[in-house]
Amino acid sequence: MATQQKASDERISQFDHNLLPELSALLGLDAGQLAKELEEKEQKERAKMQKGYNSQMRSEAKRLKTFVTYEPYSSWIPQEMAASGFYFTGVKSGIQCFCCSLILFGAGLTRLPIEDHKRFHPDCGFILNKDVGNIAKYDIRVKNLKSRLRGGKMRYQEEEARLASFRNWPFYVQGISPCVLSEAGFVFTAEFMEAQRL
Ligand SMILES: [Zn+2]
């Protein structure tokens, strides 16, 4: 995904720069300079962190668990962050999206995590509601036992035809090879990510 390469050197500024002059006057210091220094530090941490799709953090419940060691750094609550695709990285206050690797260190007081996610990475598959393997906390998948094979079973007698059915096998399924499955007589039904044995 294009977003993955971008994540390593992109600059993220969560500060609301319109508010900085006001803040400077209030605190009697240069808030703009302070924000710049802080962002510089965050950028260094961000560059060091691992990027790429993280299939280990597909599950919202699992993401939520990472926040156990999260100090109350921000105004955002763990439930909101996990539901917005983020997990706690364990580095400073860094949270990261399992799908596009976006790393945020702060929280917007007036914005929700999902809003900042959208603002910095509008092209993230999770944000675009694509099938990126997210397992929502209350995701219940009802199984329809009826055969859903298009064209009937006869079509898949040949192993080659079975293998071809795995063309849209989700990229996030790791450790199960379509070759092994088709060899064992399975066909990918493309529904609920399941393979059906003939
Ligand atoms: Zn994302």
Side-chain angles (χ1 to χ4, degrees):
M1 275 185 280
T3 48
Q4 288 173 12
Q5 278 99 49
K6 220 173 57 184
S8 57
D9 46 31
E10 70 172 341
R11 302 195 71 86
I12 302 277
S13 177
Q14 284 184 278
F15 281 102
D16 199 334
H17 288 269
N18 297 331
L19 292 176
L20 290 178
E22 211 177 309
L23 203 65
S24 300
L26 205 71
L27 301 173
L29 48 79
D30 188 351
Q33 183 59 31
L34 211 66
K36 219 171 118 192
E37 282 169 21
L38 197 64
E39 277 174 1
E40 213 52 59
K41 270 187 212 150
E42 288 174 357
Q43 193 54 33
K44 280 196 188 123
E45 292 293 342
R46 189 175 279 121
K48 275 190 277 179
M49 282 154 124
Q50 203 158 15
K51 314 293 174 335
Y53 180 84
N54 186 346
S55 69
Q56 298 294 315
M57 287 296 151
R58 286 169 50 204
S59 154
E60 183 183 333
K62 213 165 162 186
R63 292 197 295 272
L64 189 56
K65 273 190 202 158
T66 63
F67 288 95
V68 168
T69 55
Y70 186 84
E71 303 286 334
Y73 294 109
S74 76
S75 53
W76 291 342
I77 58 166
Q79 280 82 356
E80 282 173 347
M81 292 187 269
S84 306
F86 295 110
Y87 58 90
F88 179 45
T89 62
V91 179
K92 304 264 165 64
S93 61
I95 58 169
Q96 188 166 22
C97 168
F98 80 99
C99 183
C100 69
S101 313
L102 171 67
I103 301 161
L104 299 179
F105 286 99
L109 280 173
T110 52
R111 297 180 308 265
L112 291 170
I114 195 79
E115 289 168 336
D116 266 6
H117 196 168
K118 224 178 273 180
R119 180 167 154 225
F120 295 114
H121 278 183
D123 52 353
C124 167
F126 174 82
I127 287 298
L128 293 174
N129 228 350
K130 286 188 181 161
D131 181 10
V132 289
N134 181 53
I135 303 160
K137 209 171 154 209
Y138 303 106
D139 204 4
I140 297 165
R141 298 194 161 183
V142 182
K143 237 181 172 179
N144 178 0
L145 291 172
K146 195 172 86 225
S147 172
R148 288 182 293 264
L149 294 180
R150 283 178 211 101
K153 287 186 180 180
M154 286 306 288
R155 202 179 132 195
Y156 298 101
Q157 289 308 309
E158 298 291 325
E159 190 189 325
E160 221 169 291
R162 291 198 294 274
L163 185 59
S165 74
F166 285 89
R167 202 179 50 241
N168 295 322
W169 188 239
F171 68 93
Y172 47 80
V173 182
Q174 289 168 358
I176 320 165
S177 145
C179 294
V180 173
L181 287 170
S182 56
E183 202 181 281
F186 284 96
V187 171
F188 180 45
T189 64
E191 281 183 71
F192 301 113
M193 223 189 81
E194 79 186 22
Q196 182 173 333
R197 185 103 199 256
L198 286 183

